Amino acid sequence: MPEAVAGPLSDVARAERRKRRIWARPGSNHDRIIAVARVTLPASVLVLVLALGFAPLTSGRDISFVLAKDRVAMAKERLRVSQARYRGEDDKGQPFSLTARSAVQQTSADPVVKLDTLAADIALQGGPATLTAPKGTYNMNNQQVGLDGPVAFRSADGYRLDTHDVDLDMQTRKLASRNPVTGTMPLGNFSADRMTADLDDKVVVLNGHARLHITQRTAKSAK
């Protein structure tokens, strides 16, 4: 079968071929579009990826705050301890300990510790003794204890002293009242403007309007 031979091109086909050749020439508009697309398309993809990645972080409400130093709440206490215990020795080397349900020190420069529900265990010449009070203070520098409210002293050999609002020197084992005082001893009841007591020697001194009511039976047993 004989091959078909193409006839001469029409004017329209020649014009179309001419346009294609111009479009495909080096440096034509086609080349410029391709060069720009090589840069813009990857950049567009990168921008899209970054936008999708940060979208969860930027969605929702924006929250910001400013913290001013002068408005920050500061703790009033430097140190607060529950079930505190302090240990030491007196001038004679006898040990003592102070326990409290809570202890508060206002500042590190202040040696005074405020105690709540305190008890002192004291080693005396006649044996161990205890002293209790609802509240008080303890000076860690000089070992002075301020007792507020009812104060009860009990020793192993049966000596007892009930009074209130006194200062106790843990070094010398001596009590001194801050206000007019009333209390009881093995001999009976007493009252005075001031009182001092040597817990080690069991000597109580009453000063100013001193009154002592001696109970005979109690005095005989104490004697």
Side-chain angles (χ1 to χ4, degrees), residues 99-223:
T99 59
R101 186 174 62 185
S102 66
V104 177
Q105 185 180 4
Q106 294 296 334
T107 65
S108 58
D110 187 1
V112 177
V113 181
K114 294 182 178 180
L115 305 175
D116 181 56
T117 312
L118 66 96
D121 295 318
I122 309 171
L124 301 177
Q125 294 179 1
T130 60
L131 189 147
T132 59
K135 293 183 180 296
T137 59
Y138 175 53
N139 190 315
M140 293 184 289
N141 286 349
N142 56 21
Q143 297 185 359
Q144 297 281 337
V145 181
L147 304 171
D148 301 326
V151 178
F153 172 78
R154 303 289 185 270
S155 66
D157 55 1
Y159 186 85
R160 55 179 291 171
L161 176 64
D162 295 288
T163 183
H164 57 85
D165 300 335
V166 298
D167 293 321
L168 171 63
D169 189 335
M170 301 300 290
Q171 292 285 340
T172 61
R173 302 292 204 264
K174 291 183 179 180
L175 275 174
S177 66
R178 297 192 297 268
N179 302 304
V181 62
T182 60
T184 60
M185 294 184 298
L187 288 176
N189 301 326
F190 69 89
S191 64
D193 293 339
R194 293 289 184 272
M195 177 203 72
T196 59
D198 189 323
L199 300 181
D200 225 345
D201 295 335
K202 300 181 179 60
V203 175
V204 177
V205 178
L206 305 177
N207 294 316
H209 301 91
R211 298 287 187 272
L212 176 61
H213 178 73
I214 298 176
T215 304
Q216 292 291 338
R217 185 171 56 185
T218 306
K220 291 180 181 179
S221 60
K223 189 174 181 180

Side-chain angles (χ1 to χ4, degrees), residues 46-98:
L46 178 61
V47 171
L48 180 59
V49 171
L50 293 176
L52 294 176
F54 284 99
L57 302 179
T58 58
S59 62
R61 308 170 84 181
D62 292 334
I63 300 175
S64 62
F65 65 93
V66 177
L67 181 62
K69 282 186 177 181
D70 56 347
R71 295 186 180 182
V72 177
M74 302 298 291
K76 293 182 179 181
E77 300 88 6
R78 175 72 176 184
L79 176 66
R80 179 184 290 271
V81 180
S82 297
Q83 303 300 325
R85 180 181 292 273
Y86 301 90
R87 300 178 184 273
E89 292 183 350
D90 64 4
D91 294 338
K92 301 176 183 178
Q94 299 176 125
F96 71 84
S97 67
L98 282 175

